């Protein structure tokens, strides 16, 4: 190795010992004014390479163990703070879908996105419950309003079949026509109400200035009173209007 260094070549070699150890020789030429005047030989002692490798393995194992503990800690933290609450919200949504309106777990103590989502789902559930209650009440009112003319119509038809008086028959026919018109009016009102409900459900809400609404109401009221009574609303007292 020294002879090769004196010839101008840098040499690095690894030697295995009989006992299994490893040593490394590095030989470089020493220059003086671009002339080789000597050679420098550096060598490791027996066991240095093994010690370096052992320390590297130990450092890798320590880093690996720390990484595992950090990963486990983050997994538990994420599961507790994110995954589990989202699972509860998902279960509540599935319960609403499968079994009707139910209680939604709300997390008022949380001020993050999970808490905001939970409160939004609760508001949505309450609004849905109100809508279901309104539909049930509307269906009950419709059934009650439709049942009355149907009962009257049925009674008139049954009486018409047994009546012998022409005047009574004409009166019963008039009653039947009135009940039919009432049913037609009810059906038209129900249809209009349903369309209005659909339009309101599809519409987008926005904030409005109440002053503009009141100004429009006052303007329409003034115009109506002027046309109807020929007077200005400002000169009419509440008692006079009553």
């Amino acid at each position: 190795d020294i002879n090769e260094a004196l010839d101008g070549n840098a040499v690095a070699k690894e030697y295995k010992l009989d006992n299994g150890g490893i040593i490394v020789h590095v030989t470089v030429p020493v220059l003086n004014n671009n002339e080789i005047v000597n050679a420098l030989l550096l060598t490791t002692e027996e066991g240095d390479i093994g010690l370096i490798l052992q320390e590297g393995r130990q450092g890798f194992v320590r880093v690996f163990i720390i990484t595992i503990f950090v990963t486990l800690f983050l997994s538990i933290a994420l599961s507790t703070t994110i995954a589990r609450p989202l699972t509860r919200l998902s279960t509540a949504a599935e319960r609403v879908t499968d079994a009707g309106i139910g209680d939604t777990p709300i997390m008022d103590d949380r001020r993050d996105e999970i808490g905001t989502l939970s409160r939004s789902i609760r508001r949505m559930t309450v609004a849905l419950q109100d809508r279901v209650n309104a539909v049930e009440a509307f269906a009950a009112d419709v059934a009650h309003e439709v049942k009355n003319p149907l009962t009257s119509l049925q009674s008139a038809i049954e009486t018409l079949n047994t009546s012998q008086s022409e005047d009574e028959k004409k009166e019963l026919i008039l009653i039947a026509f009135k009940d039919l018109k009432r049913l037609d009016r009810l059906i038209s009102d129900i249809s209009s109400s349903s369309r209005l409900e659909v339009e309101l459900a599809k519409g987008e809400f926005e904030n409005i200035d109440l002053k503009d609404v009141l100004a429009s109401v006052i303007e329409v009221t003034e115009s109506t009173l002027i046309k109807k009574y020929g007077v200005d609303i400002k000169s009419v007292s509440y008692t006079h209007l009553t």
Side-chain angles (χ1 to χ4, degrees):
D1 294 343
I2 292 176
N3 290 331
E4 291 186 17
L6 292 175
D7 291 336
N9 299 321
V11 182
K13 292 184 180 180
E14 175 186 305
Y15 296 95
K16 293 184 178 180
L17 305 180
D18 294 337
N19 58 4
I22 298 175
I23 61 174
V24 176
H25 285 180
V26 178
T27 309
V28 295
V30 178
L31 303 178
N32 185 14
N33 294 329
N34 294 327
E35 293 183 2
I36 299 175
V37 297
N38 211 332
L40 178 62
L41 172 64
L42 300 177
T43 181
T44 61
E45 295 185 2
E46 182 181 354
D48 288 348
I49 301 299
L51 182 61
I52 293 173
L53 293 176
Q54 183 178 0
E55 290 178 352
R57 295 191 192 97
Q58 292 177 352
F60 176 78
V61 172
R62 285 194 295 268
V63 171
F64 180 74
I65 294 175
I66 293 174
T67 303
I68 290 179
F69 278 108
V70 171
T71 303
L72 291 176
F73 174 77
L74 292 177
S75 298
I76 295 173
L78 291 176
S79 175
T80 304
T81 59
I82 296 179
R84 191 174 300 171
L86 288 178
T87 301
R88 291 172 58 192
L89 292 177
S90 177
T91 302
E94 291 294 335
R95 186 166 60 248
V96 171
T97 303
D98 297 336
I101 306 299
D103 292 332
T104 303
I106 188 168
M107 307 160 195
D108 288 326
D109 56 336
R110 297 190 60 149
R111 301 304 174 190
D112 55 0
E113 290 78 4
I114 301 296
T116 302
L117 177 61
S118 177
R119 288 185 287 273
S120 298
I121 293 179
R122 170 55 65 88
R123 288 193 295 269
M124 180 186 67
T125 304
V126 172
L128 184 59
Q129 180 68 66
D130 294 339
R131 183 67 58 84
V132 171
N133 293 336
V135 170
E136 291 178 352
F138 180 74
D141 293 339
V142 168
H144 176 73
E145 293 296 330
V146 172
K147 187 176 181 180
N148 290 335
L150 283 178
T151 303
S152 176
L153 181 61
Q154 181 181 2
S155 177
I157 293 174
E158 290 176 353
T159 306
L160 182 63
N161 291 330
T162 59
S163 177
Q164 302 296 328
S165 174
E166 293 295 331
D167 294 336
E168 186 178 1
K169 288 183 178 180
K170 291 180 180 180
E171 184 178 355
L172 291 173
I173 291 174
L174 290 176
I175 294 175
F177 274 115
K178 289 181 180 179
D179 291 334
L180 288 175
K181 290 181 178 180
R182 184 180 177 186
L183 285 173
D184 181 69
R185 186 173 62 255
L186 285 174
I187 292 173
S188 299
D189 293 342
I190 293 170
S191 178
S192 299
S193 177
S194 299
R195 286 197 300 268
L196 180 60
E197 184 72 18
V198 172
E199 293 297 330
L200 290 176
K202 292 181 179 179
E204 295 182 359
F205 294 94
E206 61 181 8
N207 295 325
I208 61 173
D209 190 354
L210 189 58
K211 293 181 180 179
D212 296 337
V213 178
L214 294 177
S216 300
V217 173
I218 293 173
E219 182 179 357
V220 173
T221 305
E222 287 180 352
S223 177
T224 303
L225 289 176
I226 291 173
K227 291 180 180 180
K228 188 173 182 180
Y229 300 104
V231 294
D232 190 357
I233 189 174
K234 297 179 181 178
S235 62
V236 181
S237 65
Y238 176 78
T239 305
H240 184 200
L241 290 176
T242 306

